[in-house]
């Protein structure tokens, strides 16, 4: 793997803000120059709508837009680019499956399983569909380390369960879930599985065929791409079965005043003029990420987390939230009785960017009986010196409030 210094040279944000300690990559990653330049060049030299015009510029843009689908398919090991649906992000992808797939299959008395560590985007869509259809949303419990209780999960599986939706890496705890085992267990009951890959796509190897997941949702902006673009991977048979939930534009086959038939997947899910520049930017982000060995990235994330834990344990009254044996580059903590928002405010004043709050996992915070946490999260451009500054400033904050 390239040196961190070399990697940081790819990201203009660090030359623009040389004092910045950016430890908030779980919220959004920074963008390499190749992505920024690619989007800029699109608007300067290539801008056109897709799938409509018959002039050269439109044809070239359409071809480039569709080529990104193949890049994404290759990145995640999908069988075909036809299994790649462009969405606005992870949340949009999960909502599409909840309303376009599950709603038609769910009946009163059925069950949907999620874990206790899901963020709101992988909780509320299932909750709403269950309420609408008279089904039950069941929550897979966690152990004291913040890991999924596998034995209890196995006991919750039955023919009544119509969907399992689980996060690959927790955005609040950093836990890496045993998703391959969970998917295998669920498939024994023919339960479709959606994997929330928002935090994993850029940090661990993700191969949809090896995992055998039925759906995978992730966002472009957490893998060095632009905001407003995401991906839903779905097995071809399930995508064909799914119904579109937004209508209009180029997602049709035939339309009359009386009826409409739809284009095949994935086009039937992409109504209106889509985020063309976002897709182009996503393509450059895939190129950038694909140049790395994600196994090496995973190793690096574990090194950074281990280094951070060592340094943070030197801070008085620090409490680490989430201590799974299998974690990625996310560390959530509390500092004595200081509210996480105060901690983040003091850190921000020293140009140290972290996240504080419930991290869109309010039920998890309630379960842990804490109001919020402060979270430091890493990426390929993170370095030990930044963690040193974080730990040093936390000691200062502790002294201030003591």
């Amino acid at each position: 793997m390239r040196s961190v210094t070399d990697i940081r040279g790819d990201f203009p944000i660090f030359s623009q803000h040389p004092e910045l300690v950016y430890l908030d990559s779980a919220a959004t990653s920074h963008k390499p120059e190749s992505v920024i330049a690619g989007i800029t060049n699109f608007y300067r030299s290539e801008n056109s709508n897709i799938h409509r015009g018959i002039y050269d510029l439109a044809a070239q843009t359409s071809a480039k837009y569709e080529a990104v689908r193949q890049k994404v398919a290759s990145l995640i090991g999908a069988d075909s680019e036809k299994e790649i649906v462009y969405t606005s992000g992870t949340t949009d992808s999960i909502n599409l499956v909840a309303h376009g797939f599950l709603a038609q299959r769910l009946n009163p008395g059925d069950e949907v399983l999620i874990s206790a560590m899901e963020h709101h985007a992988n909780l509320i869509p299932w909750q709403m569909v269950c309420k609408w259809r008279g089904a039950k949303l069941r929550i897979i419990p966690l152990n004291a380390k913040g890991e999924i209780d596998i034995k209890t999960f196995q006991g919750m599986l039955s023919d009544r369960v119509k969907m399992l939706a689980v996060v690959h890496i927790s955005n609040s705890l950093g836990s890496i879930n045993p998703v391959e085992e969970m998917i295998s267990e669920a498939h024994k009951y023919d339960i479709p599985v959606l994997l929330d890959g928002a935090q994993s796509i850029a940090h661990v190897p993700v191969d949809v065929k090896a995992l055998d997941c039925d759906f995978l949702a992730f966002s472009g902006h957490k893998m060095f791409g632009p905001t407003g673009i995401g991906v839903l991977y779905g097995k071809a048979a399930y995508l064909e079965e799914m119904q579109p939930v937004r209508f209009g534009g180029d997602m049709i086959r035939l339309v009359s005043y009386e009826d409409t038939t739809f284009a095949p997947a994935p086009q039937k899910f992409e109504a209106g003029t889509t985020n063309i520049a976002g897709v182009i930017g996503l393509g450059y982000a895939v190129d950038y990420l694909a140049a790395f060995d994600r196994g090496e990235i995973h190793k690096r994330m574990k090194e950074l987390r281990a280094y951070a834990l060592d340094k943070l344990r030197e801070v008085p009254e620090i409490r680490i939230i989430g201590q799974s044996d299998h974690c990625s580059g996310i560390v959530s903590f509390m500092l004595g009785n200081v509210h996480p928002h105060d901690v983040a405010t003091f850190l921000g004043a020293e140009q140290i960017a972290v996240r504080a709050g419930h991290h869109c996992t309010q039920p998890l915070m309630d379960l842990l009986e804490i109001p919020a946490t402060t979270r430091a999260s890493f990426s390929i451009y993170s370095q030990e010196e930044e963690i040193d500054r974080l730990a040093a400033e936390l000691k200062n904050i502790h002294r201030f409030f003591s």
Side-chain angles (χ1 to χ4, degrees):
M1 189 160 163
R2 296 160 56 200
S3 72
V4 177
T5 302
D6 189 31
I7 292 170
R8 287 172 74 87
D10 296 339
F11 293 83
I13 192 78
F14 298 119
S15 58
Q16 294 293 314
H17 300 276
E19 293 301 313
L20 174 65
V21 172
Y22 189 76
L23 301 174
D24 197 20
S25 290
T28 194
S29 67
H30 283 301
K31 322 305 174 192
E33 179 61 35
S34 60
V35 172
I36 298 168
I39 296 171
T40 302
N41 184 64
F42 169 73
Y43 279 125
R44 283 183 181 277
S45 308
E46 302 170 341
N47 182 53
S48 173
N49 212 324
I50 55 168
H51 301 158
R52 291 166 175 82
I54 55 174
Y55 46 91
D56 286 347
L57 204 57
Q60 291 166 12
T61 299
S62 297
K64 194 167 184 177
Y65 178 93
E66 291 300 329
V68 174
R69 242 187 265 275
Q70 181 56 60
K71 290 183 181 183
V72 175
S74 297
L75 183 75
I76 62 173
D79 278 330
S80 166
E81 72 277 10
K82 294 179 181 177
E83 296 176 317
I84 305 301
V85 180
Y86 298 134
T87 66
S88 65
T90 304
T91 301
D92 192 31
S93 298
I94 296 172
N95 272 274
L96 177 55
V97 177
H99 295 279
F101 177 75
L102 184 64
Q104 288 74 33
R105 289 173 154 235
L106 208 56
N107 293 303
D110 287 342
E111 298 177 351
V112 174
L113 299 186
I114 63 172
S115 83
M117 68 175 74
E118 302 305 322
H119 66 138
H120 298 164
N122 200 31
L123 188 163
I124 300 171
W126 313 114
Q127 187 182 66
M128 293 297 103
V129 171
C130 283
K131 285 185 177 181
W132 176 38
R133 300 294 296 167
K136 184 175 182 180
L137 183 66
R138 299 190 68 196
I139 311 301
I140 307 164
L142 310 181
N143 64 23
K145 291 183 173 181
E147 300 167 328
I148 284 178
D149 184 334
I150 288 294
K151 286 189 177 180
T152 301
F153 160 69
Q154 290 170 333
M156 296 170 76
L157 295 171
S158 75
D159 294 334
R160 293 188 302 276
V161 179
K162 303 304 178 188
M163 192 80 198
L164 166 65
V166 64
V167 68
H168 196 174
I169 297 178
S170 165
N171 69 318
S172 292
L173 306 175
S175 309
I176 302 175
N177 288 321
V179 292
E180 191 167 4
E181 178 183 358
M182 295 179 75
I183 293 167
S184 175
E185 292 292 324
H187 282 175
K188 292 177 182 175
Y189 294 84
D190 293 325
I191 301 168
V193 181
L194 179 141
L195 191 60
D196 174 353
Q199 298 297 340
S200 62
I201 188 67
H203 293 151
V204 298
V206 177
D207 185 314
V208 293
K209 280 194 293 190
L211 292 168
D212 198 25
C213 61
D214 301 287
F215 299 99
L216 172 70
F218 58 92
S219 298
H221 73 98
K222 295 185 180 183
M223 50 168 284
F224 316 117
T227 55
I229 186 67
V231 167
L232 172 66
Y233 157 81
K235 288 181 177 174
Y238 282 150
L239 290 183
E240 285 304 314
E241 178 187 331
M242 279 175 60
Q243 297 299 310
V245 297
R246 286 191 293 273
F247 305 94
D250 201 36
M251 48 78 74
I252 55 90
R253 186 191 303 273
L254 292 171
V255 178
S256 71
Y257 285 119
E258 291 76 27
D259 201 6
T260 299
T261 57
F262 301 113
Q267 280 79 18
K268 68 178 177 180
F269 304 114
E270 298 174 2
T273 296
T274 56
N275 183 359
I276 301 168
V279 171
I280 301 301
L282 177 67
Y284 286 103
V286 170
D287 289 341
Y288 186 79
L289 180 58
F292 289 86
D293 180 333
R294 279 182 287 172
E296 289 294 317
I297 294 176
H298 179 40
K299 180 183 174 187
R300 174 66 179 158
M301 293 302 104
K302 290 196 296 184
E303 290 172 351
L304 285 170
R305 177 180 163 86
Y307 186 86
L309 291 179
D310 285 344
K311 288 294 178 181
L312 293 183
R313 283 170 180 146
E314 296 173 0
V315 180
E317 294 192 82
I318 202 85
R319 177 186 169 194
I320 305 299
I321 306 299
Q323 301 196 38
S324 171
D325 294 332
H326 305 284
C327 277
S328 188
I330 293 173
V331 180
S332 281
F333 59 88
M334 300 186 72
L335 180 61
N337 293 321
V338 186
H339 194 283
H341 285 168
D342 291 331
V343 173
T345 299
F346 274 70
L347 292 173
E350 298 300 322
Q351 302 301 310
I352 301 172
V354 297
R355 178 61 60 92
H358 53 64
H359 314 298
C360 293
T361 56
Q362 282 186 337
L364 177 61
M365 296 296 128
D366 292 342
L367 181 70
L368 299 173
E369 299 182 328
I370 56 177
T373 74
T374 305
R375 182 187 72 187
S377 55
F378 316 121
S379 187
I380 53 174
Y381 40 67
S382 302
Q383 50 189 355
E384 283 77 0
E385 291 87 339
E386 294 176 299
I387 295 170
D388 292 343
R389 280 184 58 188
L390 170 67
E393 191 55 32
L394 286 173
K395 291 177 184 175
N396 291 335
I397 296 170
H398 179 265
R399 280 194 290 271
F400 179 86
F401 282 96
S402 298

